[in-house]
Amino acid sequence: MYFQALFLFSLVIISSSQAAVLDFCVGDLSLPDGPGGYACKKPSKVTADDFVFSGLAATGKIIPLIKAAVTPAFAPQFPGVNGLGISMARLDLAISGVIPMHTHPGASEVLYVVQGEICAGFISSSDNKVFFKTLKQGDIMVFPQGLLHFQINSGKTSALAIISFSSPTPGLQITDFALFANDLPTELVAATTFLDAALIKKLKGVLGGTN
Amino acid sequence: MYFQALFLFSLVIISSSQAAVLDFCVGDLSLPDGPGGYACKKPSKVTADDFVFSGLAATGKIIPLIKAAVTPAFAPQFPGVNGLGISMARLDLAISGVIPMHTHPGASEVLYVVQGEICAGFISSSDNKVFFKTLKQGDIMVFPQGLLHFQINSGKTSALAIISFSSPTPGLQITDFALFANDLPTELVAATTFLDAALIKKLKGVLGGTN
Amino acid sequence: MYFQALFLFSLVIISSSQAAVLDFCVGDLSLPDGPGGYACKKPSKVTADDFVFSGLAATGKIIPLIKAAVTPAFAPQFPGVNGLGISMARLDLAISGVIPMHTHPGASEVLYVVQGEICAGFISSSDNKVFFKTLKQGDIMVFPQGLLHFQINSGKTSALAIISFSSPTPGLQITDFALFANDLPTELVAATTFLDAALIKKLKGVLGGTN
Amino acid sequence: MYFQALFLFSLVIISSSQAAVLDFCVGDLSLPDGPGGYACKKPSKVTADDFVFSGLAATGKIIPLIKAAVTPAFAPQFPGVNGLGISMARLDLAISGVIPMHTHPGASEVLYVVQGEICAGFISSSDNKVFFKTLKQGDIMVFPQGLLHFQINSGKTSALAIISFSSPTPGLQITDFALFANDLPTELVAATTFLDAALIKKLKGVLGGTN
Amino acid sequence: MYFQALFLFSLVIISSSQAAVLDFCVGDLSLPDGPGGYACKKPSKVTADDFVFSGLAATGKIIPLIKAAVTPAFAPQFPGVNGLGISMARLDLAISGVIPMHTHPGASEVLYVVQGEICAGFISSSDNKVFFKTLKQGDIMVFPQGLLHFQINSGKTSALAIISFSSPTPGLQITDFALFANDLPTELVAATTFLDAALIKKLKGVLGGTN
Amino acid sequence: MYFQALFLFSLVIISSSQAAVLDFCVGDLSLPDGPGGYACKKPSKVTADDFVFSGLAATGKIIPLIKAAVTPAFAPQFPGVNGLGISMARLDLAISGVIPMHTHPGASEVLYVVQGEICAGFISSSDNKVFFKTLKQGDIMVFPQGLLHFQINSGKTSALAIISFSSPTPGLQITDFALFANDLPTELVAATTFLDAALIKKLKGVLGGTN
């Protein structure tokens, strides 16, 4: 008798979900996306693997120029976070490593120091006030949305941090790359940054920019 | 002369809407959905019927186990609410009927007692404080988002309630079904609920679970 | 031993909520409000009564002019919905009763016919297309945010409907009252509605407007 | 050596964006839309032209009936604003021109007077209170979401205003057109507006309505 | 000359921020809160310390019953995250430790395994489907908003995880505590959980509940 | 008889709004603010003047260094936009004037060229791609949220633009001021920007920075 009860009850619940599982929306990167994120993978094809990502487990590839690596687990890499208002990334900072001045255009960030010592800070927009502090292992720091901020390995060992964001697609705009690693004409860079053309051309050379 | 004026004016307005009616987005369940809901049915095919739903007019199918029925008018059943931040459902409670402990993961709820007497309550997350009260015909009660709550027919007749939600896809997670009506291994249920294996297996038997 | 365990565990949970219960924010109408709603009543003073409202249980006071009544359970009347994205109201329509053309500036609406027969409809903004239908007992209809809509008792008995909104403060702007029940100068009303001054003055007379 | 550094670093950044540029979502009007707006044009096909719109540069086509023109730059006309929470429009008011009573169902508006003098106002929903003022060149005025408002050329020259909205698809519902420029039966208009049938039929005649 | 230029320019910028720094809103827990969070601490009193929290650096106090600890860095503990849509917490799991079945009513979660091995999973609301997996050091897993989930130390050493949330006040509702650690009458618990009264009273005894 | 009807009807409407007008929330800058904006001015003290701002009518004070001026009408200057998701500002560009590289951390922007010719552009975050174009009078351009952008007077006369934002508090972070007009130590600037210390000190000198 109990079994029959269950059977009937399940019918009600199942009929309410026949078209889609709406608890989540694992991104299907092969379909057109929209302002809110990727279209959803069919629920029948979603497995536990869609919600797990191992790409942050290993040290990222350290870039000599900055002696650091950023490894993202944003929606394009980890489609399980699509639509859920959150994502993660891993920062590896070799000795003297730096994550240069940058912003995340669409998200606030919290950083957790897994290992090492990191000097981190951000700059307020209204009065250019700087907030920075040296963080020890286990400390966390929050960086409000869209503000310029940086992280520097201030210790004597390599450092590792896990950062999380208030968006599955926080974006990452490194100021130097935005200014010098593209074809924005030198005179426009000069006019909008107060830097002189010779320096701009030199930095474009280093960072791969042209014009 | 007036007619010509109208004609010209209409052109302006119509040109602004040639691509889509954007006042609403009746869900087209045959297209891929996204984090914000279903894709929109073509405006030219939308009629008044898309905004009306009669599925709550009749008593839902009462399930013997709980002597109650939940009939949803969420976006999958009633695509007219897609994207509009609202939905409804009907609760039928036979004598002694119960809607067991459950949550709506993505919405707050307001309940209106159409008929009968219902004892309803919810549990706060931070201090496990319980808020419950016996509701008479015409009373309304609000259940904050995501919190465990329940409804019990506390009167001598059957009861009917209309509930509405702050989302077109509020979800419904009945705790007992979530724990016992699936293949989550008994040892994991035991480890995470403090219940013993024998009881879990018994409840899995009643509710159709395995493992 | 178990009791001690509990004691320690509770400390952790309680310390996380010492400043406030954040599951809900029952409105304290005596404090300044903000863009998101009223300030929160102190959690220690919140009881189950804050989440229950009986003001919709009785027939509203029927207004002869429209043979109808609107009884709101918005945040100002029912502070328990503050911040929860939802609210309710009751419509009473005597025989021939009408809820005149109106909008809710900040919310979509779903209507449930508790009793009687109601002809209801709304007008799309982009092409002035009308969507209306006669609703029987138990039918529901959704009205997208901000659009002009109306309800008319189309049956032979009085009618009762429960409506819910996607906001705790949906607002209610009845077009005739907005145009004629205030001191907006007749010439401005005339200029912006295509109605002639004599009619405007007559309607201002009926609805209590001046100027 | 620097070049190699750059090369490696770029790989990291590029791998995070291989699927899509998520800074923006230029609308592709040929694809199905969703509740949050249009689907995104492929990033590889997006150019600077997608973010620029020249349709507001010229005077709109003045409609004799109102001696005014509204030229929208909403997402359907200017797909670059899709998903960005903002849009614009241009108002041209010939001498004695009027933008009749209207609402934007989904957005607040700010108006900037480029040229001329405009009397503008809105009506509060809760108490029908009117807020209006004569604006000079350079003045701005804000109109809260969903409320009835109007603009009248109160000067001796033509007037020009630029308005912006808190949504890429604010909608525009002109009350007279909503009431009289469609097939809503005269008796329903009469019942819901307090206007008599003869006048309604006359206005329907002027504005192109039937029934 | 440059200095004077700066001086004038600064005046413009400063005048725009005289009333408040609006980049962030560090919570002032002594003021009344609202639906969106705590009121803001005066910007002039905000320092870098407000954005840094060291409370997650040390192992939480392990509770014998569950052999685990949850240490939150939500807005009440870490007011720097107020209004920023994000927060963190630390999970310590001794050998055999368990975070019992629970939900976060207002947030999605991402978990990062700092050390050890954790079996974690969640249950979908629509079809009670279970998604669980054993996570190794460095793996991350996402738990969609409001769904029941759990974490179990499945390794041979203690485990440590950092979790982050899509809200500064995600809430934490542990099912067993919600059901058994309060004064909800035994007969109501029984009616809404299918458990028998004797077991409920036993669990209430263990967890500190009454009635 | 009609008058009595009105009287009764008004009572219903007024009772629903006794506590507050919730159509808008004019900011009261003397009260504590919250994450969503300023607390609301008492409705009884709100007048039409609260919704009108004349501060953009005159040319801003041109700063010699950039030959330009930014005049904001954000919530701190124009409290009428508080909570409404929108704001405006005025850009004056003398001949050769420049608004240097900057971001708005919390808003997208649309620019309308009132007069003159402006070269404007922004830089995408994911691939550092530049989108820029020369805008003529009447052209509009949209700048997606949080991305670096600039405006340069590219014509032979002074230029004027009106810009609007998708937030009442968009913020404004000019990169050069953020980097060089504060006390961020020169070695930290150097480490995070690839610029050498001598140049940083020189720019600090020009822009008023120290350390």
Side-chain angles (χ1 to χ4, degrees):
Chain A
M1 188 196 78
Y2 271 141
F3 189 80
Q4 184 191 12
L6 171 72
F7 180 71
L8 293 173
F9 192 71
S10 295
L11 280 182
V12 173
I13 306 302
I14 288 169
S15 73
S16 83
S17 64
Q18 64 194 5
V21 170
L22 296 157
D23 293 326
F24 45 74
C25 174
V26 174
D28 181 335
L29 276 60
S30 71
L31 293 172
D33 55 340
Y38 296 107
C40 310
K41 190 173 174 176
K42 283 192 183 177
S44 59
K45 298 195 174 172
V46 171
T47 70
D49 288 339
D50 286 302
F51 302 103
V52 176
F53 183 68
S54 297
L56 305 191
T59 304
K61 197 158 197 167
I62 296 291
I63 299 147
L65 183 64
I66 58 171
K67 300 190 180 70
V70 181
T71 311
F74 301 168
Q77 296 83 31
F78 180 23
V81 296
N82 186 50
L84 296 182
I86 200 161
S87 61
M88 274 197 170
R90 173 188 175 119
L91 300 185
D92 290 290
L93 294 143
I95 294 173
S96 306
V98 176
I99 309 296
M101 277 291 174
H102 65 284
T103 62
H104 305 288
S108 291
E109 169 184 341
V110 180
L111 176 150
Y112 169 81
V113 181
V114 181
Q115 174 189 299
E117 183 191 289
I118 294 173
C119 174
F122 69 89
I123 304 166
S124 160
S125 80
S126 57
D127 52 6
N128 303 312
K129 189 172 172 185
V130 182
F131 298 90
F132 71 99
K133 201 164 176 186
T134 298
L135 309 173
K136 308 283 184 186
Q137 182 178 321
D139 284 349
I140 67 175
M141 182 168 183
V142 64
F143 305 88
Q145 175 169 335
L147 299 180
L148 278 168
H149 61 290
F150 62 91
Q151 289 98 10
I152 299 177
N153 186 341
S154 56
K156 295 177 178 171
T157 64
S158 64
L160 167 61
I162 286 296
I163 54 182
S164 80
F165 299 94
S166 61
S167 163
T169 53
L172 166 62
Q173 183 160 56
I174 298 176
T175 306
D176 268 304
F177 281 76
L179 295 177
F180 308 119
N182 50 35
D183 60 359
L184 183 61
T186 294
E187 63 265 35
L188 288 186
V189 181
T192 58
T193 62
F194 307 167
L195 300 178
D196 63 55
L199 176 61
I200 293 165
K201 285 182 184 296
K202 182 178 148 198
L203 287 163
K204 276 179 174 277
V206 173
L207 292 165
T210 57
N211 280 15
Chain B
M1 187 196 77
Y2 270 142
F3 188 79
Q4 184 192 14
L6 172 71
F7 179 70
L8 292 174
F9 192 71
S10 295
L11 281 183
V12 173
I13 306 301
I14 287 170
S15 73
S16 81
S17 65
Q18 65 194 5
V21 171
L22 296 157
D23 293 326
F24 45 76
C25 174
V26 175
D28 182 334
L29 277 60
S30 70
L31 294 172
D33 55 341
Y38 296 107
C40 311
K41 191 173 174 176
K42 283 192 181 175
S44 60
K45 298 195 174 171
V46 171
T47 70
D49 288 339
D50 285 304
F51 302 103
V52 176
F53 182 68
S54 296
L56 305 191
T59 304
K61 198 159 198 167
I62 296 292
I63 299 149
L65 183 64
I66 58 170
K67 300 190 178 71
V70 181
T71 312
F74 301 167
Q77 295 82 32
F78 181 24
V81 297
N82 186 50
L84 296 181
I86 199 162
S87 62
M88 273 198 169
R90 172 190 177 120
L91 300 185
D92 290 290
L93 294 144
I95 294 174
S96 304
V98 176
I99 309 295
M101 275 294 171
H102 65 283
T103 63
H104 305 288
S108 291
E109 168 185 342
V110 181
L111 176 150
Y112 169 81
V113 181
V114 180
Q115 174 189 300
E117 184 191 287
I118 294 173
C119 173
F122 70 87
I123 303 166
S124 160
S125 80
S126 57
D127 52 7
N128 303 313
K129 190 173 171 184
V130 183
F131 298 90
F132 71 99
K133 202 166 175 184
T134 299
L135 309 173
K136 309 282 185 187
Q137 182 178 322
D139 284 350
I140 66 176
M141 182 168 182
V142 64
F143 304 88
Q145 176 168 336
L147 298 181
L148 278 169
H149 60 290
F150 63 89
Q151 289 98 10
I152 299 177
N153 186 340
S154 56
K156 295 176 178 174
T157 65
S158 63
L160 167 62
I162 286 296
I163 53 182
S164 80
F165 299 92
S166 62
S167 164
T169 53
L172 165 61
Q173 184 161 55
I174 298 177
T175 307
D176 268 304
F177 281 76
L179 295 177
F180 308 119
N182 50 35
D183 60 359
L184 183 61
T186 293
E187 62 265 35
L188 288 186
V189 182
T192 59
T193 62
F194 305 166
L195 300 178
D196 62 55
L199 176 61
I200 293 165
K201 284 182 185 297
K202 184 178 147 197
L203 288 163
K204 276 179 174 276
V206 174
L207 293 165
T210 56
N211 280 19
Chain C
M1 189 194 80
Y2 271 141
F3 188 78
Q4 185 191 10
L6 172 72
F7 181 71
L8 293 174
F9 193 72
S10 295
L11 280 183
V12 173
I13 305 302
I14 287 171
S15 72
S16 83
S17 65
Q18 65 194 4
V21 170
L22 297 156
D23 292 326
F24 45 74
C25 174
V26 175
D28 182 335
L29 276 60
S30 70
L31 294 172
D33 54 342
Y38 296 107
C40 310
K41 190 173 176 177
K42 282 193 183 175
S44 59
K45 297 195 173 173
V46 171
T47 70
D49 289 338
D50 286 304
F51 301 104
V52 177
F53 183 67
S54 296
L56 304 190
T59 305
K61 198 157 198 168
I62 296 292
I63 299 146
L65 185 63
I66 58 172
K67 298 192 180 70
V70 181
T71 310
F74 301 167
Q77 294 83 33
F78 181 23
V81 296
N82 186 51
L84 295 182
I86 200 162
S87 62
M88 274 198 169
R90 173 190 176 120
L91 301 185
D92 290 291
L93 294 144
I95 295 173
S96 304
V98 175
I99 309 296
M101 277 292 174
H102 65 283
T103 62
H104 305 287
S108 292
E109 169 186 340
V110 180
L111 177 149
Y112 169 81
V113 181
V114 181
Q115 175 189 299
E117 182 190 290
I118 294 174
C119 172
F122 69 88
I123 304 165
S124 161
S125 80
S126 56
D127 51 8
N128 303 312
K129 190 171 172 186
V130 183
F131 299 90
F132 71 99
K133 201 164 175 187
T134 297
L135 309 173
K136 309 283 186 186
Q137 183 177 319
D139 284 351
I140 66 175
M141 181 168 183
V142 64
F143 305 88
Q145 177 169 332
L147 298 181
L148 278 168
H149 61 291
F150 63 89
Q151 289 98 10
I152 299 177
N153 185 340
S154 56
K156 296 177 178 172
T157 65
S158 62
L160 166 61
I162 286 296
I163 53 183
S164 79
F165 299 94
S166 62
S167 163
T169 54
L172 166 61
Q173 184 161 56
I174 298 176
T175 306
D176 269 303
F177 280 76
L179 295 177
F180 307 119
N182 51 35
D183 60 358
L184 184 61
T186 294
E187 62 265 35
L188 289 185
V189 182
T192 57
T193 63
F194 306 166
L195 300 178
D196 64 55
L199 175 62
I200 293 166
K201 283 183 185 298
K202 183 179 148 197
L203 287 164
K204 276 179 173 275
V206 173
L207 292 165
T210 57
N211 281 19
Chain D
M1 188 196 79
Y2 271 142
F3 190 80
Q4 185 192 11
L6 172 72
F7 180 70
L8 293 173
F9 192 71
S10 295
L11 279 184
V12 173
I13 306 303
I14 287 169
S15 73
S16 83
S17 65
Q18 65 194 6
V21 170
L22 297 156
D23 292 327
F24 45 75
C25 174
V26 175
D28 182 335
L29 277 60
S30 71
L31 294 172
D33 54 342
Y38 296 107
C40 310
K41 190 173 175 177
K42 282 193 183 176
S44 60
K45 298 195 172 172
V46 172
T47 71
D49 288 339
D50 286 303
F51 301 104
V52 177
F53 182 69
S54 296
L56 304 191
T59 304
K61 197 158 200 166
I62 296 292
I63 299 148
L65 183 66
I66 59 170
K67 300 189 179 71
V70 181
T71 311
F74 301 166
Q77 296 83 32
F78 181 23
V81 297
N82 185 49
L84 295 182
I86 200 161
S87 62
M88 274 197 171
R90 172 190 176 118
L91 300 185
D92 290 291
L93 294 144
I95 294 173
S96 305
V98 176
I99 308 295
M101 277 292 174
H102 65 284
T103 62
H104 305 288
S108 291
E109 168 185 342
V110 180
L111 177 151
Y112 169 81
V113 181
V114 180
Q115 175 189 298
E117 183 190 290
I118 294 174
C119 173
F122 69 88
I123 304 166
S124 160
S125 80
S126 56
D127 53 6
N128 302 312
K129 190 172 171 184
V130 183
F131 298 89
F132 71 99
K133 201 164 176 186
T134 298
L135 308 173
K136 308 281 185 189
Q137 183 177 321
D139 285 350
I140 67 175
M141 182 168 181
V142 64
F143 305 88
Q145 175 169 335
L147 298 181
L148 278 168
H149 61 289
F150 63 90
Q151 289 99 9
I152 300 177
N153 186 340
S154 56
K156 295 176 178 172
T157 64
S158 63
L160 168 60
I162 286 296
I163 53 182
S164 81
F165 299 93
S166 60
S167 163
T169 52
L172 166 61
Q173 183 161 57
I174 299 177
T175 306
D176 268 304
F177 280 75
L179 295 178
F180 308 119
N182 50 34
D183 60 359
L184 183 60
T186 294
E187 62 265 35
L188 288 186
V189 182
T192 58
T193 62
F194 306 168
L195 300 178
D196 62 57
L199 175 62
I200 293 165
K201 283 180 184 298
K202 183 179 147 197
L203 288 164
K204 277 179 172 275
V206 174
L207 293 165
T210 56
N211 281 19
Chain E
M1 189 195 78
Y2 271 143
F3 188 80
Q4 185 192 12
L6 171 72
F7 181 71
L8 292 174
F9 192 71
S10 295
L11 280 183
V12 173
I13 306 302
I14 288 171
S15 74
S16 82
S17 65
Q18 64 195 5
V21 171
L22 296 157
D23 292 327
F24 45 75
C25 173
V26 175
D28 182 335
L29 277 58
S30 71
L31 294 172
D33 55 342
Y38 295 107
C40 311
K41 190 175 176 177
K42 283 193 181 175
S44 59
K45 297 195 173 173
V46 171
T47 70
D49 288 338
D50 286 303
F51 301 103
V52 177
F53 182 68
S54 296
L56 305 190
T59 305
K61 198 157 198 167
I62 296 291
I63 299 148
L65 183 63
I66 59 172
K67 299 191 181 70
V70 181
T71 310
F74 301 167
Q77 295 84 32
F78 181 23
V81 295
N82 187 50
L84 296 181
I86 200 161
S87 62
M88 273 197 170
R90 173 189 176 119
L91 301 185
D92 289 290
L93 294 143
I95 294 172
S96 306
V98 176
I99 310 296
M101 277 292 174
H102 64 284
T103 63
H104 305 288
S108 291
E109 169 185 340
V110 180
L111 176 149
Y112 169 80
V113 181
V114 180
Q115 174 189 299
E117 182 191 290
I118 294 174
C119 172
F122 68 88
I123 304 165
S124 160
S125 81
S126 56
D127 53 5
N128 303 312
K129 190 172 172 185
V130 183
F131 299 89
F132 71 100
K133 201 164 176 185
T134 297
L135 309 173
K136 308 282 186 187
Q137 184 179 319
D139 284 350
I140 66 175
M141 180 168 184
V142 64
F143 305 88
Q145 176 169 332
L147 299 181
L148 278 168
H149 61 290
F150 62 90
Q151 289 98 10
I152 300 177
N153 187 340
S154 56
K156 295 178 178 172
T157 65
S158 63
L160 167 62
I162 286 296
I163 53 182
S164 79
F165 299 93
S166 62
S167 163
T169 53
L172 167 61
Q173 183 161 56
I174 299 176
T175 306
D176 268 304
F177 280 76
L179 295 177
F180 307 119
N182 51 35
D183 59 0
L184 183 61
T186 295
E187 63 265 34
L188 289 185
V189 182
T192 58
T193 62
F194 307 166
L195 300 178
D196 64 56
L199 176 61
I200 293 165
K201 283 183 185 297
K202 184 179 149 196
L203 288 163
K204 277 179 174 275
V206 173
L207 292 165
T210 56
N211 281 18
Chain F
M1 188 194 79
Y2 271 142
F3 188 80
Q4 185 191 10
L6 171 71
F7 180 70
L8 293 174
F9 192 72
S10 296
L11 280 183
V12 173
I13 306 302
I14 289 170
S15 73
S16 82
S17 65
Q18 65 193 5
V21 171
L22 297 157
D23 291 328
F24 45 74
C25 174
V26 175
D28 182 335
L29 277 58
S30 70
L31 293 172
D33 55 342
Y38 295 108
C40 311
K41 190 173 175 177
K42 283 192 181 176
S44 59
K45 298 195 172 171
V46 171
T47 70
D49 288 339
D50 286 303
F51 301 103
V52 177
F53 182 68
S54 296
L56 304 190
T59 305
K61 199 159 198 166
I62 295 292
I63 300 149
L65 183 63
I66 59 171
K67 299 191 180 70
V70 181
T71 311
F74 301 166
Q77 295 83 31
F78 181 23
V81 296
N82 186 50
L84 296 182
I86 199 162
S87 62
M88 274 198 168
R90 173 188 176 119
L91 299 185
D92 290 291
L93 294 145
I95 295 173
S96 305
V98 176
I99 310 295
M101 277 292 173
H102 65 284
T103 62
H104 305 288
S108 292
E109 170 186 340
V110 181
L111 177 150
Y112 169 82
V113 181
V114 181
Q115 175 189 299
E117 183 190 289
I118 294 173
C119 173
F122 70 88
I123 304 165
S124 160
S125 80
S126 56
D127 52 6
N128 303 312
K129 189 173 174 185
V130 183
F131 299 89
F132 71 99
K133 199 165 177 186
T134 298
L135 309 173
K136 308 282 185 186
Q137 184 178 320
D139 284 350
I140 66 176
M141 181 168 183
V142 64
F143 305 89
Q145 176 169 333
L147 298 181
L148 277 168
H149 61 290
F150 63 89
Q151 289 99 10
I152 299 177
N153 186 340
S154 57
K156 295 176 177 173
T157 64
S158 65
L160 167 61
I162 286 296
I163 52 181
S164 79
F165 298 94
S166 62
S167 163
T169 53
L172 167 61
Q173 183 160 57
I174 298 176
T175 306
D176 268 304
F177 280 77
L179 294 178
F180 307 119
N182 51 34
D183 60 358
L184 183 61
T186 293
E187 63 266 34
L188 288 186
V189 182
T192 59
T193 62
F194 306 166
L195 300 178
D196 64 54
L199 175 61
I200 293 165
K201 284 183 184 294
K202 183 178 149 196
L203 288 164
K204 277 179 173 277
V206 173
L207 293 165
T210 57
N211 280 18

